[in-house]
Amino acid sequence: MLRLLPTKRLLYLLIVLLAVGFGLNFFLQTATFRMNLSQALEWIGTNPLLYMSGSLFIFCVLLLSSVIVPNTYAGPAVVSLLFLLLGIASDQKLATRGEPLFPWDLMLLKNAEGMSKITSGMISPVAIIVAAALVAGLVYLIVKLPKNRISFPLRAVLGGISVGLSAYFLVLVSSQSPVVAAMNYQNIFWNQKVNYTQNGFVYAFAGNLRQSLMEKPAGYSREAVETVAAKYAALPDAPVQAGLDEQPNILFMMNEAFFDPTRLPGYTLSEDPLTFIHGAAEQTPSGYLLSPEFGGNTANVEFEALTGLSMYFLGDGTIPYQQRLVKMSSLPSIVSILKDRGYEALALHPFDETFYNRNRVYPMLGFGRFTSEKDLPDAARLTPEGYISDKAAVDEAVSQLKAASGPAFLHLVTMQNHFPFTKGLNGPNTITVQGGLPEQKDELETYMQDAKLTDEALAYLQQELLTIKRPTIAVFWGDHLPALSAGIYTEAGWDQQPRLKHETQLMILANFDIGKEPLGSLSPAFLGPAVFKLSGQTLPAYYKLLERVREAVPGLSKQVLIGPGDSGILKELTPEQQALLDDYRLIQYDLLEGEQYAAKLMF
């Protein structure tokens, strides 16, 4: 029995761990408020039970690490450092992307080498020095603090208590138990920024560990899906462009962080960075893509474009590639539709193939070959430190289309313009920018140069299409606006104009006549039906549903809803528009989370 009694040193350890738990929780909450101490203190005063219970959870994790590692201080020191890193990462993500850190973001740790390149320049030298000092301090404390000798039986008891209480906490949070509801906890999964600021980092992060992508729609059943499928299957085929003698190649070119920077007010440029795009806009179908993302989460944009499913119905902050698609064995998409029609399906991304689990998601969607950076050792870069250039990516795409034995669908995701916008990364800047703050000048001029290079690559693509014998149609769009310094968008007045913060350039090119009807603003989920109509393809029942939704709400995102034609931003939905979205939601749930009845009925 005496072996189970705590010594004074052990009591001291428990008190220290408890204090550290409360301190770490305070730091995490301060990071949630962008290091605003007063807001963090105000939150604690309003939600004392959430703060105390969250701190006790961290205490249990620290205690568990203490009894697992022989040195009772080493484990908590490492765990404390990890919690500090979580807070710093969340603060940095809020600064660049406007959203906190989610559990699925940690999946990118396997891409540590690539992430270090992407985030180069984001972390200041001061932060690196402080982090190094903290690590050195932890090592010193581990060495100097008195050693506690805890018997194995006591370690087992303390470890069991820690595991039990930690697991109980996670179960209560994930199930939204009345116990945590009484503490004022509500999982606000549809608005994650509010979720973190209202519930605190610990509760919000823990609540997201078992977050499903969608809530089950009322009335979901096989019969309900069959009814919706029959409704849209019975619709007449949509009019398409004049038929071609052979099936055309289809190229998707999703361009990293690309938008029209000349839309930003208050700046004078020495030249137009988008001479080709602006000149061709009235000669070919063009418009704007309403991106569901801002500053990042590229995979969510291609998720919409490839599957025709919408982020509008999914929980705020979700990444379907990492949370759901990687676990699935099949999912209907434009890839599978075209493969069934005899197409070769190719994917091209000149970067790490494992980012967003593309190396696992692409084969599941039906791609037969995925070319990534490792397969392109000789691809051109504008500087040795830069990414593979857009022009080089276009060269590879055109080469693969020409080499295909039959019709091909090729999905290209570029990298040239990825954050950070470091001067000289893509060669010298040739466009000067007047206006704005002096400290923003290099960043703006670098982005203008990047945009100019992409414009030149697109002009090059137009010329290369003419060298392909098979009819070929290319859909070009920017995945999201770049993560420029927040002040740039604020000074432009775009913080109150979500449409402008989510509209990227959209243009369709071809080596055959596709007309020049404007595309307006549309969501990426509707690109499939749009290109099918222009290329003479018949629409499956699912695409007929998407066409009906597009006619009613062409811009469908959580940030803003855009109506048809010149109707502009929708303040509310009509009963007819809501009914269409209800059908859309039902089928999306069925395909993503349900039994996939629609896979056989609508594709």
Side-chain angles (χ1 to χ4, degrees), residues 411-465:
H411 174 58
L412 165 62
V413 181
T414 70
M415 274 298 290
Q416 173 190 284
N417 302 335
H418 203 289
F419 183 92
F421 305 107
T422 305
K423 185 177 181 179
L425 187 63
N426 286 324
N429 295 337
T430 61
I431 299 177
T432 57
V433 178
Q434 300 297 324
L437 300 176
E439 59 267 26
Q440 298 169 349
K441 184 177 176 63
D442 281 350
E443 182 181 17
L444 284 167
E445 291 183 349
T446 297
Y447 185 78
M448 297 298 173
Q449 180 66 24
D450 291 349
K452 176 183 177 180
L453 293 167
T454 295
D455 184 75
E456 291 172 352
L458 191 59
Y460 177 68
L461 172 62
Q462 175 64 74
Q463 294 302 312
E464 287 297 296
L465 290 178

Side-chain angles (χ1 to χ4, degrees), residues 252 254 256 298 302 348-350 358 362 411-415:
F252 273 9
M254 185 170 73
E256 173 61 36
T298 295
E302 68 174 289
L348 170 58
H349 178 47
R358 286 189 177 97
Y362 281 174
H411 174 58
L412 165 62
V413 181
T414 70
M415 274 298 290

Side-chain angles (χ1 to χ4, degrees), residues 341-353:
R341 298 182 182 189
Y343 275 70
E344 184 177 356
L346 309 168
L348 170 58
H349 178 47
F351 196 59
D352 187 339
E353 63 179 353

Side-chain angles (χ1 to χ4, degrees), residues 1-7 9-10 13 63-64 66-72 147-160:
M1 179 65 68
L2 291 175
R3 298 176 68 189
L4 296 179
L5 293 176
T7 63
R9 283 187 175 181
L10 182 57
L13 172 68
L63 180 59
L64 179 62
S66 179
V67 298
I68 289 177
V69 180
N71 186 312
T72 54
K147 304 299 186 293
N148 274 314
R149 299 182 182 276
I150 304 178
S151 64
F152 178 78
L154 184 55
R155 284 180 184 270
V157 170
L158 293 176

Side-chain angles (χ1 to χ4, degrees), residues 207-283:
N208 281 325
L209 289 172
R210 295 182 60 186
Q211 186 66 56
S212 60
L213 290 182
M214 291 183 69
E215 294 293 301
K216 185 176 181 179
Y220 171 71
S221 66
R222 175 191 289 271
E223 292 73 21
V225 173
E226 289 174 342
T227 298
V228 173
K231 181 198 306 186
Y232 294 98
L235 293 176
D237 289 333
V240 298
Q241 294 288 104
L244 299 170
D245 293 334
E246 56 184 343
Q247 291 178 304
N249 294 322
I250 298 175
L251 168 64
F252 273 9
M253 182 176 175
M254 185 170 73
N255 199 264
E256 173 61 36
F258 185 82
F259 84 121
D260 183 351
T262 66
R263 302 182 86 190
L264 287 168
Y267 300 100
T268 301
L269 311 182
S270 61
E271 65 176 273
D272 182 2
L274 306 184
T275 54
F276 172 76
I277 288 175
H278 290 155
E282 295 183 0
Q283 307 303 317

